[in-house]
Amino acid sequence: MALLFLSTPERGAVWQRVFDAADEPIFMGHDAVTDARSVTHLACWTPPDDFARYPNLQTVICVGAGVDHIPALPRGIALVRTTVPGLDQMVRDWTVMATLMLHRDMPTYLENAQGGVWQTRPVTPAAKRCVGIMGMGRIGGLVAQSLAAMNFNVAGWSRSGTPVDDTEIFGADGLERFLARSDILICLLPLTPQTRGILNAALFNKLPDGAALINAGRGGHLDSDAMIAALNSGKLCSAMLDVTDPEPLPQTHPLWRDPRVIITPHVAAQTDAEDGARHALKVIGAEREGLVPPGFVDQTHKGY
Ligand code: NDP
Ligand code: OXD
């Protein structure tokens, strides 16, 4: 029984130390595997296509919090996501930062600063700024709370429209009304067949003119050509993206050079390597005892 770790060497060194201390076998990368039949666990962000290579694989442990990007696994292989404390709060912090940056016109000020241009713009009070959050789950709820505490006028949209304390919630049939009031639109949805490409031209056209866009969900939510067209027409004024399609975004991609768009390389949340390794040990331990491992994903419901 061994775990195969597929990620960066820096994170791998931490996993190696934690696994050695627990006396659990671990292989660093495919080339280090001495006996493919001993590999029972795979820790990675995206699993390889070739599962047949490891005939006794039982569990794929996604080193991230979200598993939206992981395709259906072959029958009999369990999927586990990494659940460590603080990850949802990290995404909240990034999203609040992005909201403040767009609310306070930072893309324009950063561009002006490049040319030494001192030019003020009118400041809109938070109470006069309507923020709309698509996806009111664990993370959306935290973001709504924080932004409301800063006086923003916050509303949320979710499939079920489940009420959330102190936040105006729109359900599936309220999307148009929700968009019409959203000066800053935040996407914190999971990527599913229903939500893929949801940030598209038709949706942008329902926003107020000059709206701002934030995507911390998945790159597959956004039609980036439609976003550029909306920025060019003035429908959108700026955007901040933590996720892109593909990732990494190629160095030559025009979005990197668009001053209206700020991109971070999928860092809204980052699992601490030591916490991630300890979570993997808990998964292995729980499975040995015949228990449901922490972070277990019911793959029959993963498609939402
Ligand atoms: P949750 O599962 O807790 O919440 C998902 C929310 O989305 C729920 O409100 C759900 O509504 C809503 N939703 C799902 N499908 C639809 C739909 N078709 N139409 C409308 N609403 C829908 O997820 P989390 O808050 O934990 O995470 C959200 C996403 O954030 C993750 O899936 C991942 O993509 C992303 N993420 C990004 C990170 C980063 O570093 N950038 C890190 C971690 C996560 P309902 O409850 O009504 O079903
Ligand atoms: C994610 C992560 O799920 O970074 O996006 O953990």
Side-chain angles (χ1 to χ4, degrees):
M1 191 171 206
L3 180 137
L4 168 59
F5 183 79
L6 301 178
S7 181
T8 62
E10 296 75 29
R11 296 174 74 77
V14 178
W15 279 60
Q16 181 86 58
R17 176 168 52 73
V18 173
F19 270 60
D20 287 351
D23 212 11
E24 284 289 348
I26 184 165
F27 295 120
M28 289 295 147
H30 295 291
D31 293 345
V33 174
T34 46
D35 175 9
R37 282 164 312 168
S38 68
V39 173
T40 48
H41 290 74
L42 182 60
C44 58
W45 172 248
T46 313
D49 314 330
D50 184 11
F51 286 99
R53 192 165 174 176
Y54 302 112
N56 295 320
L57 187 65
Q58 291 170 14
T59 304
V60 170
I61 302 174
C62 173
V63 293
V67 288
D68 330 39
H69 58 288
I70 297 195
L73 299 179
R75 188 182 289 274
I77 300 183
L79 176 61
V80 165
R81 67 189 194 93
T82 298
T83 50
V84 298
L87 271 187
D88 295 347
Q89 286 77 3
M90 275 186 202
V91 187
R92 173 206 56 199
D93 296 350
W94 182 94
T95 308
V96 169
M97 171 188 72
T99 306
L100 291 174
M101 286 184 74
L102 301 189
H103 167 59
R104 297 302 297 262
D105 290 323
M106 280 311 284
T108 305
Y109 288 122
L110 289 173
E111 189 186 11
N112 287 353
Q114 298 287 323
V117 177
W118 180 283
Q119 192 170 61
T120 62
R121 291 167 65 86
V123 176
T124 303
K128 292 194 176 166
R129 193 75 89 182
C130 292
V131 179
I133 304 172
M134 302 178 82
M136 284 298 292
R138 286 179 292 263
I139 301 171
L142 287 173
V143 171
Q145 261 175 19
S146 297
L147 292 178
M150 293 175 170
N151 268 345
F152 285 99
N153 196 331
V154 183
W157 177 74
S158 69
R159 180 175 42 183
S160 61
T162 306
V164 173
D165 281 353
D166 300 328
T167 306
E168 186 184 5
I169 296 291
F170 294 80
D173 57 359
L175 181 60
E176 288 211 13
R177 283 178 293 122
F178 163 82
L179 293 171
R181 63 160 300 289
S182 297
D183 303 319
I184 298 180
L185 183 70
I186 299 173
C187 176
L188 282 167
L189 289 164
L191 186 63
T192 70
Q194 291 73 40
T195 64
R196 180 173 289 280
I198 193 167
L199 303 174
N200 56 29
L203 177 140
F204 297 144
N205 283 333
K206 292 176 183 143
L207 291 169
D209 289 341
L213 174 71
I214 294 170
N215 190 13
R218 287 289 182 261
H221 287 128
L222 176 66
D223 175 343
S224 57
D225 290 341
M227 180 186 73
I228 292 170
L231 286 164
N232 290 340
S233 73
K235 192 41 146 167
L236 288 177
C237 70
S238 56
M240 192 147 166
L241 314 173
D242 183 53
V243 286
T244 60
D245 185 15
E247 288 184 7
L249 190 66
Q251 202 182 2
T252 51
H253 200 288
L255 277 184
W256 282 120
R257 276 168 298 288
D258 192 321
R260 300 162 299 184
V261 182
I262 297 178
I263 298 170
T264 55
H266 201 142
V267 288
Q270 204 173 66
T271 313
D272 173 76
E274 181 152 350
D275 289 348
R278 294 196 188 290
H279 174 262
L281 288 177
K282 283 190 198 148
V283 168
I284 293 169
E287 287 176 348
R288 265 191 203 130
E289 289 181 39
L291 302 172
V292 176
F296 176 77
V297 177
D298 179 351
Q299 294 179 76
T300 56
H301 290 125
K302 193 170 157 274
Y304 298 86

